[in-house]
Amino acid sequence: MDAGSLVLVHLHSPKEKYWGVLKALSPAGVTLRGLDVALFDDWARQYRAGVEAELGVATLFFPLHRVEKMFEDARVGTVAAYHERFYEMVGRDVRDVLRLEAGRPEGPLQ
């Protein structure tokens, strides 16, 4: 997986799951611009409603010893990927929204 990929990161101690854009992967850990998957639907709904954002993504660092596994955000059988769910809910590409939240209306997500 390369920087700019949409990923899911599973952590342990405590158990947590995060979704977002991979910023960096190093021997020290994972840097991600994203949010807890438990907040994903609420975060997406605010874009559908066109209301002022109360939830947003953050740049997060997870030490490698906490990372249990990391997956590319991709469809698995009939289960939609998070970026597909966002498009179904909002009608916009999540990458465009993430660029705007990062202050980059154009260009890569890195």
Side-chain angles (χ1 to χ4, degrees):
M1 284 175 249
D2 298 317
S5 298
L6 294 172
V7 296
L8 287 159
V9 179
H10 291 233
L11 306 170
H12 62 83
S13 303
K15 245 182 171 1
E16 299 175 291
K17 294 179 188 176
Y18 285 85
W19 170 89
V21 178
L22 179 64
K23 303 286 281 175
L25 176 61
S26 72
V30 174
T31 305
L32 180 78
R33 180 120 179 108
L35 71 161
D36 189 307
V37 296
L39 299 173
F40 183 87
D41 288 342
D42 292 333
W43 174 73
R45 274 191 215 101
Q46 71 189 2
Y47 288 99
R48 180 180 63 195
V51 298
E52 188 170 332
E54 293 183 13
L55 295 171
V57 295
T59 301
L60 308 156
F61 175 78
F62 305 115
L64 202 54
H65 73 272
R66 285 207 55 218
V67 177
E68 184 176 318
K69 52 192 166 188
M70 184 167 65
F71 299 95
E72 185 174 5
D73 182 27
R75 175 178 286 276
V76 178
T78 59
V79 178
Y82 279 87
H83 71 273
E84 293 172 327
R85 289 176 52 196
F86 186 91
Y87 187 82
E88 290 169 6
M89 292 171 73
V90 180
R92 293 174 62 188
D93 189 324
V94 73
R95 291 168 186 89
D96 294 337
V97 172
L98 290 170
R99 277 188 203 94
L100 291 174
E101 284 199 10
R104 297 184 184 114
E106 303 291 329
L109 284 175
Q110 303 180 42

